[in-house]
């Protein structure tokens, strides 16, 4: 089958093959931009999050969506108000991050909403307790051009 193009008649197979050669480059470029944005957002966010959690916990509410979910060592807490009440029960803390990984979620997963998965690994010392290793996973989404936590999962390493 042939159809008109600005360059005359080209077979559909040739046109599809040409499009497939061009599309991955553009797609890779778009995805690389998202990876770069996710990395920048993750680094900035993690510094802000752990600084707020350790030194200004009362400001942590600005980082969560109202409908956010927290899973803390297997305990599920739903909604911003309940998350804040849960955090009030925790002693003061000092986090040290050893590793950070950030990934953009694809449009198919996030419905086209700019969304980032962040994984942190490090140690935390709660007042009155020994230093413990932990890992934490966040899912952030852009809400009115501001990153907000949709989901937060914290687990001590045993």
């Amino acid at each position: 089958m042939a159809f008109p193009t600005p360059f005359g008649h080209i077979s559909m197979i040739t046109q599809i093959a040409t499009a497939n050669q061009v599309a991955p480059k553009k797609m890779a470029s778009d995805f690389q931009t998202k990876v770069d944005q996710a990395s920048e957002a993750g680094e900035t966010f993690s510094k802000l999050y752990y600084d707020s959690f350790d030194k200004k916990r009362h400001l942590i509410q600005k980082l969560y969506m109202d409908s956010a979910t927290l899973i803390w060592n297997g305990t599920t807490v739903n909604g911003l108000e309940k998350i804040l009440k849960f955090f009030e029960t925790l002693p003061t803390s000092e986090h040290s991050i050893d590793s950070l990984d950030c990934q953009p979620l694809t449009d198919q997963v996030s419905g086209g909403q700019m969304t980032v998965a962040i994984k942190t690994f490090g140690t935390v010392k709660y007042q009155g307790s020994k230093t413990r290793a932990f890992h934490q996973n966040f899912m952030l989404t852009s809400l009115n051009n501001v990153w907000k936590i949709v989901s937060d999962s914290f687990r001590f390493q045993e």
Side-chain angles (χ1 to χ4, degrees), residues 6-62:
F7 306 105
H9 292 289
I10 300 176
S11 74
M12 181 181 281
I13 293 172
T14 303
Q15 183 136 357
I16 290 171
T18 304
N20 285 341
Q21 290 172 358
V22 173
K25 290 179 184 175
K26 180 178 182 338
M27 196 164 130
S29 173
D30 291 347
F31 187 71
Q32 186 59 51
T33 299
K34 288 183 178 185
V35 168
D36 293 342
Q37 290 171 340
S39 294
E40 183 180 332
E43 288 180 30
T44 302
F45 166 80
S46 64
K47 289 175 188 172
L48 177 64
Y49 180 85
Y50 292 109
D51 185 56
S52 296
F53 198 94
D54 292 342
K55 299 173 185 161
K56 307 170 201 160
R57 203 172 292 173
H58 65 282
L59 297 177
I60 203 94
Q61 68 184 357
K62 295 180 180 189

Side-chain angles (χ1 to χ4, degrees), residues 82-105:
K82 290 179 181 177
I83 291 171
L84 296 175
K85 285 181 183 177
F86 178 80
F87 286 158
E88 287 175 6
T89 67
L90 299 175
T92 58
S93 59
E94 186 177 330
H95 289 82
S96 176
I97 303 305
D98 298 324
S99 178
L100 170 70
D101 184 39
C102 312
Q103 303 290 325
L105 297 181

Side-chain angles (χ1 to χ4, degrees), residues 63-152:
L63 300 178
Y64 285 85
M65 291 184 70
D66 290 341
S67 60
T69 298
L70 168 69
I71 301 173
W72 190 272
N73 288 305
T75 300
T76 302
V77 183
N78 290 307
L80 178 60
E81 286 185 35
K82 290 179 181 177
I83 291 171
L84 296 175
K85 285 181 183 177
F86 178 80
F87 286 158
E88 287 175 6
T89 67
L90 299 175
T92 58
S93 59
E94 186 177 330
H95 289 82
S96 176
I97 303 305
D98 298 324
S99 178
L100 170 70
D101 184 39
C102 312
Q103 303 290 325
L105 297 181
T106 62
D107 290 344
Q108 294 87 349
V109 173
S110 65
Q113 179 72 26
M114 182 61 175
T115 305
V116 177
I118 300 172
K119 299 173 187 173
T120 59
F121 300 90
T123 56
V124 61
K125 168 108 175 79
Y126 285 98
Q127 184 178 15
S129 298
K130 65 179 181 171
T131 300
R132 296 178 74 179
F134 76 94
H135 66 269
Q136 193 162 7
N137 298 299
F138 299 96
M139 185 183 307
L140 306 182
T141 193
S142 177
L143 183 65
N144 300 321
N145 293 321
V146 176
W147 290 111
K148 294 284 190 172
I149 300 169
V150 175
S151 176
D152 176 359

